[in-house]
Amino acid sequence: MHKTMWRCGHWVMARDYQWRRLNQVMALNQALRVVFPLILLGSLADLVIRGWLTPTGYYYQTLHVENWCPQRARLEQGLLLLQNGAVGLASLGLAIVVSFYLVRQVTRSTDDQLTAGLLAGLTLQLVNVNPVSLQPHHAPAWLAMNLGWHGILAGLVVGLLVGNLYRIGVRIWSSPLDATLRPITLGSLGGLGVATVSGGWLLAAPFTVRAAFNAWLRLPLSFPTGWGQLASFSLLNGAMTWCGTLGALPTTSGQIVAATQNLAAVLGSAHWQVPHVLTVQTVIQTYASMGGPGMALALLLAIFLVRQNAAQRRIGWLSLVPVLGNFNAPLLVGLPVIWRPLLGIPLLLAPLVCVSISSLALAFHWVPATAYPLAVSTPGPFLSFLGSGGSLRALLLAIVNLALATAIYYPFVKGDAAVDRRLAEEAKRDATSDELA
């Protein structure tokens, strides 16, 4: 059994190593490193806004911020500007940088590299405009800088698409007579193509990419109850997080109704009995999202336990404050977890195990179900304790889930560190060979 698991782990690490050596993946990882400071800045601003300056925030309620921060509204406006600007620029920057690095791999022409990057930025802008604002004598409402955390995936996809199309153009026209002729020609043709596609998109679908994406996510599992639906919801959330859709899935009306009915049942009765025991709030948000979707707090603990990769620990320390407030974007982008198969496995598996254990405990009434509203940025393990009215059994279940999730993440984080070392040694050998040559 031990040998079988060792061989399986070795095989997964080998596939992850091959995956990370692909040109597309290397460009993606380089782009994520570039935008990491923006993601970290946006996450910190978002944490302060939602946790400290909003009435539904944990620190706003516990520290009575309204009593000692008279300029709260002004501060919130400034931080909103910072958060939207940083996250929006990160989405736009990902499209530009991914396309830039993809073209850089096939040509040394700086003009081609910059042209490809600008085309990707233009594409993301043109497919994210509010159609209602397209009126004569009115400025259009560009939404590419307001995509939110879901814009990370949009930036990656647009960058890959435009960068690969430009690479094809470079390979076809491999020897231009004039160094400036190719980028001018490909840039002009690309701009016309982007304008045509975006125009067709607006005519065929009069809504933005963000609105379409949220509408699509609300279709399945609009009111998940029962282990099967909650497990599917957890897997969908994990898969979308791994792809780059950071943040929780959109809340549906069915989930809001269930949470309201649970709260009303608790407030109107002397006994702690709720009509909806297994819901997104009582299971996933309480026991399977500590640190953010994917049990990011467990990932952070596993990083500190491994102690074999200094780069991982640096990202962990930088992401510590956001993760404690359940904002996992810096950790997922900094490592990165996004589009990395080895870390994608525990990202799906750890929450699924937590959902299963928590559903069993709730179904047999071993712990009370969460009924009170969960304040934003409440440290993960305390969500169950506060949401259940101070139940120590609920707190114990949360700690058990966190320990199990950390144990699940540990071997994968250790394997990821080993792959990092192998890639670093290979890059060092290549650099030495180039210097000798």
Side-chain angles (χ1 to χ4, degrees):
M1 181 66 179
H2 177 73
K3 289 183 178 180
T4 302
M5 293 181 64
W6 183 86
R7 290 174 182 173
C8 181
H10 183 74
W11 183 86
V12 172
M13 288 173 58
R15 301 290 82 76
D16 187 76
Y17 168 76
Q18 294 174 353
W19 168 264
R20 289 169 62 177
R21 293 183 75 245
L22 296 175
N23 290 331
Q24 315 290 322
V25 178
M26 287 192 292
L28 182 146
N29 289 336
Q30 289 170 322
L32 290 173
R33 282 196 293 269
V34 170
V35 303
F36 171 74
L38 293 173
I39 296 296
L40 178 60
L41 186 62
S43 296
L44 291 172
D46 201 9
L47 171 62
V48 174
I49 293 169
R50 298 172 62 186
W52 290 77
L53 303 180
T54 305
T56 55
Y58 173 74
Y59 297 101
Y60 181 94
Q61 297 174 5
T62 56
L63 300 179
H64 307 288
V65 175
E66 74 280 5
N67 295 333
W68 51 268
C69 186
Q71 298 297 323
R72 180 176 60 86
R74 280 293 182 87
L75 181 59
E76 183 177 2
Q77 290 176 348
L79 288 174
L80 276 172
L81 181 63
L82 176 62
Q83 189 262 341
N84 289 327
V87 177
L89 185 57
S91 302
L92 193 61
L94 278 174
I96 295 172
V97 178
V98 169
S99 183
F100 174 90
Y101 276 117
L102 282 174
V103 175
R104 188 180 184 182
Q105 294 169 356
V106 296
T107 178
R108 295 183 178 180
S109 171
T110 305
D111 290 342
D112 281 307
Q113 298 165 12
L114 293 175
T115 300
L118 292 176
L119 274 177
L122 177 64
T123 302
L124 188 62
Q125 285 274 55
L126 290 182
V127 297
N128 282 283
V129 60
N130 187 353
V132 179
S133 68
L134 297 178
Q135 303 292 337
H137 311 297
H138 288 82
W142 302 103
L143 302 178
M145 288 289 291
N146 194 31
L147 290 175
W149 295 112
H150 294 170
I152 302 299
L153 175 60
L156 292 174
V157 171
V158 169
L160 288 171
L161 178 62
V162 174
N164 281 298
L165 289 176
Y166 201 99
R167 279 163 63 107
I168 294 173
V170 170
R171 285 170 174 166
I172 294 175
W173 194 356
S174 58
S175 301
L177 297 177
D178 187 348
T180 61
L181 184 60
R182 184 174 63 189
I184 291 175
T185 304
L186 293 180
S188 300
L189 293 175
L192 291 174
V194 168
T196 302
V197 171
S198 62
W201 163 261
L202 291 175
L203 290 175
F207 44 77
T208 65
V209 170
R210 183 177 184 178
F213 182 77
N214 287 339
W216 175 78
L217 283 180
R218 285 190 175 96
L219 288 177
L221 308 171
S222 59
F223 184 24
T225 56
W227 177 84
Q229 289 180 312
L230 289 172
S232 300
F233 190 96
S234 175
L235 289 173
L236 176 62
N237 199 2
M240 298 307 298
T241 299
W242 183 81
C243 290
T245 306
L246 305 182
L249 295 179
T251 302
T252 64
S253 57
Q255 297 171 21
I256 297 174
V257 170
T260 304
Q261 292 176 350
N262 283 352
L263 179 60
V266 169
L267 295 178
S269 173
H271 303 286
W272 195 279
Q273 294 181 345
V274 297
H276 307 286
V277 176
L278 301 181
T279 67
V280 172
Q281 179 186 1
T282 61
V283 179
I284 294 180
Q285 293 179 355
T286 304
Y287 294 106
S289 297
M290 285 178 267
M295 288 292 287
L297 183 57
L299 172 58
L300 185 65
L301 292 176
I303 290 172
F304 292 145
L305 289 174
V306 169
R307 297 185 178 181
Q308 292 182 353
N309 191 320
Q312 282 185 344
R313 292 200 306 275
R314 282 195 293 270
I315 296 298
W317 284 115
L318 288 172
S319 307
L320 177 62
V321 172
V323 169
L324 289 177
N326 304 315
F327 292 84
N328 61 358
L331 189 62
L332 300 182
V333 171
L335 287 177
V337 177
I338 297 172
W339 290 23
R340 182 165 291 185
L342 188 58
L343 294 178
I345 297 173
L347 186 73
L348 298 175
L349 184 59
L352 185 61
V353 170
C354 295
V355 167
S356 301
I357 294 175
S358 304
S359 298
L360 182 66
L362 288 167
F364 283 95
H365 304 287
W366 294 338
V367 296
T370 300
Y372 292 132
L374 304 176
V376 179
S377 77
T378 302
F382 297 112
L383 287 168
S384 59
F385 179 75
L386 298 175
S388 61
S391 170
L392 292 177
R393 289 177 296 163
L395 178 61
L396 178 61
L397 177 59
I399 294 173
V400 170
N401 281 347
L402 182 59
L404 288 174
T406 303
I408 291 172
Y409 266 110
Y410 181 84
F412 293 96
V413 172
K414 194 171 183 178
D416 185 72
V419 175
D420 281 343
R421 288 196 302 272
R422 183 178 176 184
L423 289 170
E425 292 171 359
E426 185 179 275
K428 187 176 180 179
R429 287 196 303 269
D430 291 343
T432 303
S433 300
D434 292 340
E435 290 177 0
L436 294 176

